[in-house]
Amino acid sequence: RTGSPLSPPDAVSQVTVRDALNQALDEELERDERVFLLGEEVAQYDGAYKISRGLWKKYGDKRVIDTPISEMGFAGIAVGAAMAGLRPVCEFMTFNFSMQAIDQVINSAAKSCYMSAGSISVPIVFRGPNGASAGVAAQHSQCFAAWYGHCPGLKVVSPWSSEDAKGLLKASIRDDNPVVMLENELLYGVPFEMSEQAQSKEFVIPIGKAKIEKPGTHVTLVAHSRPVGHCLEAAAVLSKEGVECEVINLRTIRPMDMETVEASVVKTNHLVTVEGGWPQFGVGAEICARIMEGPAFNYLDAPAVRVTGADIPMPYAKILEDNSLPQVKDIVFAVKKTLNM
């Protein structure tokens, strides 16, 4: 962090995604005594990815709780605590392990408000790294955006930048619904510019609102999480060839901000979706279907194109892993295809 207390009010500092998440947790633990954090290694070890660094020392055993390696157990405890009026933040060391607790996330958390006719709210946040990291093979590399985005009763957010991470985590903790927050391990150490406003204690990003990261006129690129950065890199490459891409950072998977996507498609007449998850029933498939069914379809000058992860369990070898995930060159190729270049 490069900002200092003497910086002018609109000063911008570099903050890593890790520090932005830590800041959000710290501020919300301080603001509301009902908030607590639980998960494997979150307390004495400062978090497997150091997201909760310093919080156990500051808030103690009742607010930052180390759990045994039993996702179904501690997710169930957290859901019960939320039903009883607390506001738990339940960390999965990776979302792949949330499959051990998926019954608690879906059947206990997501459905309770509806099944109780609104009398039981479950204000809980399930958070942790999602999607592929590096060299962790098939059982640690799934993207769960489509899995959890499929389920009514949940809100699902997927941050890219430090600003996204902080604003969405604070909004998620304050929300009265269960929220799944899908972070990316490879982004934790990446610094992004954050304004003084974004670093203030009251900064939140509304759930369900996408952000246009780069305006453009020729093609709409829609992504979430780490692929947003790939889209911006591809846009920089393509602008040298006279193609101006509009890059949309979804931020939220459910509820999805289709208004922003539709308005962009109406303007650019072309759509490419990008995600790290598998192609079948994916986030891109949903966006394409909604564009097809909605008013923006008549503005398309070419079929919408999806760029996704490969339809295989993630290989371990680095060269195979690289070829299983969308790269900048794949996005450039897809844009040229849809623009008939």
Side-chain angles (χ1 to χ4, degrees):
R1 219 174 124 167
T2 55
S4 76
L6 302 173
S7 306
D10 57 348
V12 169
S13 16
Q14 295 276 331
V15 180
T16 63
V17 171
R18 173 182 289 110
D19 288 343
L21 290 165
N22 180 268
Q23 220 177 77
L25 285 169
D26 188 7
E27 289 169 9
E28 293 305 300
L29 282 160
E30 184 179 63
R31 188 186 70 88
D32 186 343
E33 62 183 17
R34 296 171 298 171
V35 175
F36 71 99
L37 173 66
L38 80 167
E40 295 148 1
E41 310 276 25
V42 298
Q44 297 185 37
Y45 188 66
D46 277 343
Y49 306 100
K50 301 297 176 254
I51 303 297
S52 50
R53 188 174 53 226
L55 299 180
W56 173 66
K57 281 197 177 110
K58 185 171 178 181
Y59 295 101
D61 288 327
K62 287 195 170 170
R63 306 288 303 283
V64 184
I65 303 167
D66 278 330
T67 64
I69 302 176
S70 173
E71 280 75 15
M72 181 177 239
F74 69 75
I77 288 169
V79 170
M83 289 176 172
L86 298 178
R87 302 186 86 87
V89 179
C90 176
E91 177 180 306
F92 294 122
M93 198 179 281
T94 145
F95 256 92
N96 299 272
F97 302 162
S98 77
M99 280 196 283
Q100 302 289 332
I102 204 161
D103 180 56
Q104 303 288 9
V105 179
I106 308 298
N107 283 329
S108 302
K111 297 176 183 175
S112 287
C113 188
Y114 179 80
M115 292 178 72
S116 67
S119 65
I120 300 174
S121 66
V122 189
I124 185 170
V125 180
F126 300 101
R127 54 153 294 273
N130 168 68
S133 177
V136 291
Q139 294 189 359
H140 298 79
S141 297
Q142 287 102 295
C143 173
F144 284 83
W147 296 55
Y148 287 119
H150 180 61
C151 303
L154 288 178
K155 293 184 178 181
V156 183
V157 298
S158 181
W160 167 60
S161 66
S162 300
E163 184 180 295
D164 291 351
K166 182 177 181 191
L168 288 170
L169 180 51
K170 287 173 76 81
S172 300
I173 291 170
R174 296 179 187 193
D175 201 288
D176 287 333
N177 298 279
V179 182
V180 170
M181 179 154 171
L182 305 170
E183 301 153 15
N184 187 287
E185 186 186 331
L186 297 176
L187 289 173
Y188 283 154
V190 178
F192 288 88
E193 289 190 347
M194 268 182 96
S195 65
E196 290 291 313
Q197 182 210 354
Q199 291 186 66
S200 78
K201 289 190 174 182
E202 287 312 306
F203 177 74
V204 292
I205 288 171
I207 293 173
K209 199 80 197 82
K211 181 187 180 190
I212 297 170
E213 296 287 349
K214 177 191 174 296
T217 50
H218 296 127
V219 60
T220 299
L221 296 178
V222 185
H224 64 96
S225 191
R226 193 162 168 253
V228 174
H230 295 140
C231 286
L232 289 169
E233 286 178 50
V237 171
L238 286 157
S239 74
K240 290 176 183 159
E241 299 186 41
V243 175
E244 291 307 320
C245 303
E246 180 143 298
V247 178
I248 296 177
N249 171 8
L250 270 182
R251 284 180 163 175
T252 306
I253 307 299
R254 183 183 187 108
M256 196 178 273
D257 181 4
M258 282 309 296
E259 291 78 14
T260 297
V261 178
E262 281 173 350
S264 180
V265 170
V266 166
K267 180 170 74 168
T268 67
N269 313 113
H270 299 89
L271 173 65
V272 175
T273 67
V274 185
E275 67 192 301
W278 293 313
Q280 193 154 320
F281 313 113
V283 175
E286 176 66 20
I287 294 167
C288 291
R290 291 218 209 163
I291 288 294
M292 180 109 180
E293 292 165 353
F297 174 70
N298 295 314
Y299 291 84
L300 280 176
D301 288 343
V305 176
R306 291 177 294 159
V307 178
T308 70
D311 198 18
I312 52 165
M314 182 61 71
Y316 171 70
K318 183 172 187 334
I319 188 164
L320 295 177
E321 181 181 72
D322 287 346
N323 281 291
S324 301
L325 290 167
Q327 307 292 327
V328 172
K329 62 178 171 49
D330 303 316
I331 301 168
V332 171
F333 178 81
V335 169
K336 287 185 171 179
K337 178 180 164 187
T338 191
L339 292 175
N340 206 18
M341 287 170 69

